[in-house]
Amino acid sequence: MIYIIFPILALVHLGVLFLGSDIFLLRLISKIVPILYLIALSVGEGKWTTRAGIWLGIGLVFSLGGDTILAFPDKYFVFGLGSFLIAQVAYSVSFSWGNPVHFLRLIPYVIFGTSYFYWLLPGIAPALTIPVAVYVSAICVMGWRSAAREVSARDRLLGILGAISFIISDSIIALGQFTPNKLPFHGVWVMSTYYLAQFLIYLSQEEEE
């Protein structure tokens, strides 16, 4: 059912964004319902009974927190960033549990993260420089840990694609936040890649015990 219900829930919010609704509660509720569904599903499927599943659940809960906080004015941006930072750490731990290190697989993420951060740097307020650097590091580590898993080819591919989708989503947010190059339908791009990321990360752990 996840293959039907989650896309429908995600499309509802994307439709709200595309139509430009200014009803705050509609935007907020439609935004968080897809992640609430994944949390409920993780409990129903017993994912919280495994260590990797517990950390996946923690990542979902803090993602929900970040979604909620970022629905409010920009002055709360750093708190939303903090909530998503914890989510990224949780996903990294979930991906890492019982898996090898594979330092070489970190290299592409270091190259991307360093390059993107220095490109954004002129537009980042001094007070946010360290928080943004820490967050970029965390999401690149999450990407690396998804690539370092020794699991089935299906789960590894889904995890990598999910992590990359998360990196793309956060990169689009940073593009709009710290540069003048905001994409048309910015919110639709952010949330579509974000929902895809959460969906793929969740599916990547369906077969794990």
Side-chain angles (χ1 to χ4, degrees):
M1 291 297 289
I2 186 175
Y3 293 95
I4 298 173
I5 295 175
F6 184 85
I8 289 173
L9 295 176
L11 284 170
V12 168
H13 180 63
L14 295 178
V16 169
L17 292 179
F18 184 78
L19 295 173
S21 172
D22 57 359
I23 303 173
F24 176 77
L25 279 179
L26 177 61
R27 292 170 68 96
L28 175 61
I29 292 171
S30 65
K31 182 181 186 183
I32 65 175
V33 163
I35 306 303
L36 282 170
Y37 171 70
L38 290 184
I39 293 171
L41 197 62
S42 72
V43 174
E45 292 182 342
K47 288 187 179 293
W48 290 71
T49 60
T50 68
R51 286 170 177 165
I54 287 169
W55 285 102
L56 172 68
I58 292 170
L60 287 169
V61 168
F62 279 94
S63 293
L64 178 67
D67 284 337
T68 304
I69 294 168
L70 292 180
F72 289 87
D74 280 353
K75 64 180 179 178
Y76 300 110
F77 176 76
V78 71
F79 298 103
L81 194 71
S83 190
F84 273 115
L85 173 63
I86 297 172
Q88 300 305 335
V89 172
Y91 285 145
S92 294
V93 175
S94 182
F95 284 144
S96 297
W97 208 271
N99 288 299
V101 177
H102 287 312
F103 279 119
L104 286 177
R105 297 181 188 179
L106 174 61
I107 293 173
Y109 297 98
V110 170
I111 292 171
F112 170 79
T114 303
S115 302
Y116 199 70
F117 175 74
Y118 278 101
W119 182 66
L120 293 173
L121 192 56
I124 301 174
L128 287 177
T129 301
I130 292 177
V132 172
V134 170
Y135 187 84
V136 170
S137 300
I139 198 164
C140 288
V141 167
M142 190 266 291
W144 163 46
R145 297 316 301 153
S146 74
R149 296 164 76 205
E150 295 294 344
V151 291
S152 69
R154 169 199 178 272
D155 283 0
R156 185 163 170 266
L157 179 60
L158 289 174
I160 291 171
L161 293 176
I164 290 172
S165 295
F166 225 133
I167 292 170
I168 292 171
S169 179
D170 284 338
S171 298
I172 296 171
I173 291 174
L175 188 73
Q177 192 77 22
F178 304 120
T179 80
N181 305 311
K182 198 168 187 176
L183 295 177
F185 300 107
H186 172 81
V188 175
W189 285 108
V190 168
M191 295 308 297
S192 58
T193 49
Y194 168 72
Y195 285 140
L196 178 62
Q198 297 283 19
F199 184 59
L200 293 176
I201 289 171
Y202 189 91
L203 292 179
S204 78
Q205 300 208 19
E206 271 199 333
E207 295 177 359
E208 295 199 10
E209 297 180 358

